[in-house]
Structure formats: C-alpha cells, structure tokens
Amino acid sequence: MTKKQKKMVTRLSASAVFFILALILENRSAFAWIPFLVAYLFAGYDIPLRACRNITKGQIFDENFLMSVATIGAIVVGSLEEAVAVMLFYQIGELFNDYAVNKSRKSITDLMDINPEYANLLRDGQEEQVDPYEVEVGDTIVIRPGEKVPLDGIVRKGNSTLDTKALTGESMPVEVAEGQAVVSGSINLSGVLEVETTKLFDDSTVSKILELVENASSRKAKAEAFITRFARVYTPIVVILAVILAVIPPIILGGGWSTWVYRACSFLVVSCPCALVISVPLSFFGGLGAASKNGILMKGSNYLEAVGSLDTVVFDKTGTLTTGQFEVSEISSVRMAREELLELAVLAEHHSNHPIALSIKKAYGKEVDTARIGSVEEISGQGIHAQIEKDGVWRALYIGNQKLMKACGAVVEQPTALLGTTLYLAEKNEYLGAIVISDSIRSDVPKALEGLRRHGVKKLVMLTGDREEVGRKVGESLGLDEVYGNLLPGDKVKKVEELLSKKAPGKTLAFVGDGINDAPVLARADVGIAMGGIGSDAAVEAADVVIMDDEPSKIVDAILIASKTVGIVRQNIIFAIGVKVLVLILVALGYASMWAAVFGDVGVSVLAILNAIRALSYKRES
C-alpha cells in the first residue's frame, strides 16, 4: 500500500468513527449534526475543492462535481446520514480503485525493472562504471553475476546463464558462451562475461521494450474511446435531468421541494459514470500486463482488441514458420557412396561462407584436406566449377543449380525431397548426384497452428520469397489453407491487401514475420506481429505486437488474453449501464432512496473493478 493510500485509510477510519458516533447520537442529541459534518469532512473535504479547481480549468461535469452537488444538496435538505454515507462509500470505492490500478501496474513495473542503471566499461584493462548511454558500439563491457545486461552484444570471454524471464516470459535460464549474442534487460546469473557491444543503448532491446510499454497506454481501444466520449456527453445530460427532477415536479404538483431535491441528489449520485470510466481502461491495462508477463508486448489496447477478433493469420516462412537455419536434409548419389558425394561437395564449397556452404560443412563434420582443392571458379547465378583431387586424379567438378548442369551437359535426376534448395554435382558432363539443403520447421509451429484453428482463426496463409514448390511443400506439411511463393516485399503487401478485401466484416487479419523485408507488410496488416527475439529492428518497429521469444504459439496466448479482456469489458459495460438505468428510474419515481443510489454508484464500481482485475490473470494452455 502506498503512502497516499495509507493516509486515505486513516481519513476514512476517522470518518467511520464519527459517522457511527453520529448515528448513535442522532435521536438522542440536537448536536448530532456536528459528528455527521466532521465525518463528511474527514471523508471528502477534498472532493468539493477538486470540483472547484476543475471548474476553473473548464472541466465542469466530472465525478467530483456530481458528488459535491449531490452530497451538499443532501445536507441542505437535512439528509446528513445519506450525505456522509455517499461520500464515505465513494471514497472507499476510489481507494479500492487505486489499489486495483497499482496491482494491475505491477507486471508493467516489473518489466520496467529491466532498465539497467549502469555498465562496467573496460578501458585499457580497467573497469569503469558508466551510464549505459556512454557506451559506444564495439566497446567491451563486463557483466558480473547478479547484474543486468545493459546493452546488446556478443560474448567475447566467459560463459554463464541468463535469466530472460522479464523479456520473454520463459522461466528457464538460457546458457551463453563465447561468440553468442546476449540481449539487454536479461540478468546474468552465474559467470563473469566480457561482451562486445553491437548497439547503442537507444537502439538496444531494453530501450525498445520500455518505449513500447510507455507508449502502449496512448493507443486506446475502440471501447475505451467510446467510454471517454460517452462520459463527456452523458454527464451534462444527467445533470440537466437532475435539475429538471428537482424543479419541475414541485412547480407542477405544488410543494414538496425537499422530497424532489433529495431525489435529484440521489439521481446525481447514481448517475456518476465511475464504474465505466474506471473499469474499462483498467481491464485493458490488466490485459496488456498479462500479455507482457507472458513475453508478448502489445503497442496499445487497440491492438489487444484487434487480436481478439482475428480471422486470418498470414505467415512469412523463413525465420517465422521455419528456423532460418539451413541443414542437409537429403543426399542422393547415383555413382558413389553418399559420404563420398558429400566430401566432394565440401571440398568444392570449402572457401565459401554462404549459409548453404556452411550447412554442407556442418553435415560433413570433419577436417578438410585443402591440398585436394585446386582452382575454384564461381559462376554467377549458377554455382561453382572446381578442380578436386580424387584417387590421385584431378577432376573437373561442377556443383550448383540446374542451369549449371545444363551448361556442362549433365542430365540430372530429381531427388525425392523438394523441401529446400537442391545442389547438383557433376564431373565434367557426368551427373553424380544431388544434395538437398532445407530450412527445418520450428518445433512450436504445429502446436501454434492447431491452437489458432481451435480459437477461431478460419484461414492460415503463408507468403514467401522462396520458390513456389518449396513453399507449397512446407504449406502441405503444415496444413495451411493458402501458400504463395516467389514474392518480393511489394508482392507480399499486394497479397495481404487482397486478403484484407476478402475478410469477414468485423474480423481482423494479422501478418507474422521477422525479417527487415517484412516491415512493409507488417505495417499494412490490421495487426503486425513480429518475432522479436531474432527479428530485425525494422520488423519490431513496424509491428503492433512483438513475441519476445520467437514462439509462434504465443499468438494463441495473445488471442486468449485479448478475448478474455474484451469479454470482461463487455460484461462491465452491460452490467454498469443496466444497473444504473434501473436505479435511476427507481430513484426518479421515488421507489429507491439514496442508499440504493450508493449501491448504483459505489457498489457497481467495486464489482466492475473486481471483474476488471481478472484480466491480469492468465494461465497458458498445456
């Protein structure tokens, strides 16, 4: 509990004591009005002052104005008991709201704790504690156990385990060693690390996350915007109706001014839109907190609302559905053992650092005898022509695509697998075999796709710049509805626009990607979802939702959190408006007293806030 909240508890406790004393003295002493008045001042002296202050600023019709007019009116007509009760319970409701807001902020403030306070900069062999903003790209920093990683970088010395829970929601520590990347905001748990920085602090992961969180509340959902507009129109109307209720019936019916003023004051109490104004933003705030706690950053409650109505999800392939890491998936040899064919490929590709060449070297896994490599010529757009020694004889080896095979006169045989890039090998014009290099599907993807279908997504689509047949093979293995290949970034935008024109009314389309070439289409979709852990800065910047640990199944979590939050918002709107309208009618007709008005305002607010807090809790599906 904050200092402000403790002070309010003391005030309300004193008010309650004097209120009870006044109730005891009410029928026994002519001076019972004194403890009633003291109880009122302890409970709400600041409300009329705040109302006056707001009026000077042009903010007339707010809850402070309504409460002040209603309670002072009740005192004027002699209903001291009701006036104190209204103010006391109203302040209890406000205190409860403050507590609820602080509780919902906890997950956000926990996330803010990832902000590092300093960096240990290594200069001329000496450590110097500096502000993270002072560290340049290429500098070396030292991170000791228990310290936060202040900037993104590459480990140059040491090994350790990192706690990335605040970033990704993943509770298992991550092991890092020399040559591996570390991201700012994680916590070093064990060994001492020397890290070469790769980004300035302003461009680091922790800065981007904090910026996303800080800006999230400025992007309101439609329901929030509706409540704001509703309150601006609704409050002046009920004030006018209360004035009419206090003045017109006594004039028409004659007399009974105190009765009608009392009803008008009760009308003002119950008409206060606190339940809506408080609970709706609180629900969305809770939903954003629940998402961030699970490694899902949303840039605003409007995107939380949009995720709840997803109908179509469009995926990029490489790095999103697949790992983006190439590996040898098939070796098809026609004239020698598969191991020999792989050895020839390694010799020919030895000097290349292309990802495909690296995957061949990895599959071979042995030392290469460079003495067996003669001249190597790269043929642009086709492959490699190399002189390779085998069995004491130098051989002219060609390795590359079908164009190269056609150029050297070799007749190729298609390997059984098409899921990936195929390298064909030939000696002069004699076809030797083929090696298929493929990009493996993420282990989390089947679970993600199954979860999306189970929770209302009707269409799953893949867009890729890879060959059509490769994309189709991936799509078939995953059970996707539509697959489009050979697409440039501009083509992906056009395809998404086509899909947007076909979606059902009231439904939204999300694009999920990770690469810099995905930035335009991420921005064009209703909801752009970036795989933040390995995603490019441009993709994260253009996206509306960032999945911090690159698990596509987190999209299902986002849908469930969004659906739960939107459901809570609708429940609160229907409940609050329904109860208030009912009590307003009963009060106007004289069938309900100010006590009913207190429930119609404070009681409804407390129940709505309790319901809103549920948005904070979310448990992942097993």
Side-chain angles (χ1 to χ4, degrees):
M1 190 175 285
T2 65
K3 188 176 180 181
K4 178 184 174 184
Q5 289 169 345
K6 289 177 181 177
K7 184 179 178 182
M8 180 56 73
V9 168
T10 303
R11 277 179 52 191
L12 295 180
S13 298
S15 175
V17 169
F18 278 98
F19 186 42
I20 293 168
L21 178 63
L23 290 174
I24 293 170
L25 295 174
E26 190 172 13
N27 296 319
R28 300 178 183 178
S29 171
F31 296 100
W33 62 271
I34 295 176
F36 270 128
L37 192 59
V38 172
Y40 178 86
L41 291 173
F42 264 119
Y45 73 88
D46 52 331
I47 300 298
L49 292 176
R50 207 178 299 154
C52 293
R53 199 180 307 123
N54 290 344
I55 288 170
T56 61
K57 296 177 182 177
Q59 301 171 7
I60 301 174
F61 299 110
D62 62 4
E63 63 270 19
N64 297 297
F65 176 80
L66 293 178
M67 284 296 128
S68 299
V69 172
T71 54
I72 292 171
I75 291 171
V76 169
V77 298
S79 299
L80 288 166
E81 183 181 334
E82 285 92 337
V84 175
V86 166
M87 190 59 77
L88 181 59
F89 287 117
Y90 172 73
Q91 291 284 53
I92 290 172
E94 288 294 292
L95 177 64
F96 191 83
N97 170 60
D98 283 344
Y99 177 78
V101 169
N102 284 339
K103 184 176 174 63
S104 66
R105 283 182 189 274
K106 189 175 185 305
S107 60
I108 301 293
T109 53
D110 285 348
L111 189 63
M112 291 301 193
D113 285 342
I114 65 177
N115 196 15
E117 298 174 359
Y118 62 87
N120 300 316
L121 181 62
L122 201 61
R123 283 180 178 159
D124 302 322
Q126 300 294 316
E127 285 183 38
E128 181 182 349
Q129 197 171 97
V130 300
D131 192 292
Y133 285 100
E134 297 179 34
V135 181
E136 301 289 334
V137 173
D139 283 349
T140 299
I141 56 175
V142 177
I143 307 163
R144 302 190 178 283
E147 293 182 336
K148 294 173 186 140
V149 177
L151 297 99
D152 296 358
I154 304 293
V155 177
R156 293 305 180 205
K157 185 178 179 182
N159 55 73
S160 182
T161 53
L162 301 180
D163 179 357
T164 63
K165 184 166 56 179
L167 301 176
T168 67
E170 175 56 57
S171 57
M172 286 294 292
V174 176
E175 294 185 9
V176 291
E178 289 183 28
Q180 291 184 303
V182 295
V183 293
S184 52
S186 50
I187 299 172
N188 186 16
L189 297 178
S190 50
V192 178
L193 297 175
E194 288 188 12
V195 173
E196 180 184 335
T197 58
T198 54
K199 292 180 182 177
L200 295 173
F201 183 72
D202 277 338
D203 300 323
S204 66
T205 300
V206 68
S207 283
K208 290 187 178 296
I209 290 173
L210 294 175
E211 184 182 347
L212 294 183
V213 173
E214 287 163 358
N215 293 335
S217 60
S218 65
R219 297 182 174 93
K220 292 187 175 182
K222 291 179 183 177
E224 280 187 280
F226 161 74
I227 292 302
T228 303
R229 294 193 303 270
F230 175 81
R232 285 175 187 163
V233 176
Y234 165 85
T235 308
I237 289 174
V238 296
V239 171
I240 293 168
L241 289 175
V243 172
I244 293 171
L245 186 63
V247 175
I248 301 300
I251 294 175
I252 295 174
L253 301 175
W257 283 94
S258 62
T259 299
W260 289 103
V261 169
Y262 176 83
R263 290 186 187 181
C265 290
S266 301
F267 190 91
L268 284 176
V269 170
V270 74
S271 65
C272 187
C274 298
L276 293 175
V277 173
I278 293 169
S279 69
V280 171
L282 184 62
S283 299
F284 280 110
F285 198 81
L288 291 172
S292 66
K293 199 157 51 176
N294 284 275
I296 307 163
L297 295 183
M298 297 191 180
K299 294 185 179 180
S301 54
N302 53 333
Y303 300 118
L304 180 69
E305 192 175 43
V307 167
S309 56
L310 277 182
D311 178 64
T312 304
V313 178
V314 183
F315 294 92
D316 172 50
K317 181 178 78 71
T318 306
T320 303
L321 292 176
T322 61
T323 61
Q325 297 175 350
F326 293 101
E327 58 185 31
V328 173
S329 58
E330 182 183 353
I331 301 174
S332 177
S333 179
V334 296
R335 300 197 178 273
M336 60 185 69
R338 294 165 69 247
E339 291 75 14
E340 290 182 75
L341 187 73
L342 180 61
E343 184 181 44
L344 290 176
V346 167
L347 291 168
E349 297 278 2
H350 178 70
H351 297 297
S352 174
N353 285 319
H354 190 278
I356 289 176
L358 295 176
S359 66
I360 291 173
K361 294 174 189 176
K362 183 179 177 182
Y364 184 64
K366 303 174 188 174
E367 287 291 326
V368 176
D369 183 2
T370 54
R372 295 176 57 193
I373 305 171
S375 62
V376 178
E377 175 192 1
E378 185 173 338
I379 303 170
S380 180
Q382 295 185 24
I384 290 172
H385 172 217
Q387 294 293 325
I388 303 297
E389 184 272 323
K390 184 177 183 296
D391 299 330
V393 179
W394 288 94
R395 303 169 187 269
L397 187 71
Y398 293 88
I399 178 170
N401 57 24
Q402 290 193 21
K403 288 182 181 178
L404 183 61
M405 295 298 103
K406 188 175 181 180
C408 71
V411 179
V412 305
E413 295 177 15
Q414 199 69 254
T416 57
L418 285 174
L419 183 54
T421 300
T422 304
L423 292 179
Y424 302 96
L425 286 86
E427 184 182 335
K428 294 183 179 178
N429 63 350
E430 184 180 356
Y431 177 66
L432 301 178
I435 297 174
V436 179
I437 313 295
S438 64
D439 184 8
S440 58
I441 293 171
R442 288 182 178 276
S443 59
D444 187 57
V445 167
K447 175 187 173 184
L449 300 182
E450 190 273 330
L452 288 173
R453 290 201 187 277
R454 193 169 66 250
H455 294 291
V457 175
K458 298 290 189 292
K459 186 183 288 187
L460 297 172
V461 182
M462 185 178 75
L463 307 182
T464 178
D466 214 333
R467 300 197 317 272
E468 187 81 41
E469 60 269 23
V470 173
R472 196 177 299 115
K473 189 80 174 178
V474 173
E476 288 173 0
S477 67
L478 293 174
L480 302 179
D481 299 305
E482 297 175 21
V483 175
Y484 302 93
N486 295 314
L487 299 177
L488 297 173
D491 299 325
K492 289 184 179 180
V493 173
K494 289 178 183 176
K495 189 57 67 176
V496 163
E497 286 176 343
E498 282 179 31
L499 294 167
L500 284 168
S501 66
K502 296 175 184 176
K503 68 177 182 170
K507 296 296 183 180
T508 53
L509 177 147
F511 180 84
V512 188
D514 74 297
I516 191 167
N517 62 332
D518 292 327
V521 69
L522 282 166
R524 180 64 187 89
D526 291 326
V527 183
I529 303 176
M531 294 290 129
I534 61 169
S536 70
D537 291 343
V540 172
E541 191 70 29
D544 309 309
V545 178
V546 180
I547 308 295
M548 287 306 300
D549 57 2
D550 297 321
E551 289 185 19
S553 63
K554 287 287 181 76
I555 302 169
V556 179
D557 295 315
I559 291 174
L560 292 174
I561 291 169
S563 299
K564 180 179 180 179
T565 303
V566 172
I568 288 171
V569 167
R570 287 174 182 158
Q571 291 164 13
N572 282 346
I573 290 174
I574 293 169
F575 173 68
I577 292 177
V579 172
K580 282 184 178 292
V581 168
L582 176 62
V583 178
L584 280 172
I585 294 170
L586 293 175
V587 165
L589 296 175
Y591 292 113
S593 68
M594 196 171 282
W595 290 103
V598 169
F599 169 75
D601 176 42
V602 178
V604 169
S605 294
V606 169
L607 291 174
I609 290 166
L610 280 171
N611 195 34
I613 290 175
R614 292 195 303 115
L616 265 174
S617 60
Y618 172 73
K619 188 175 181 180
R620 289 199 76 185
E621 291 185 341
S622 56

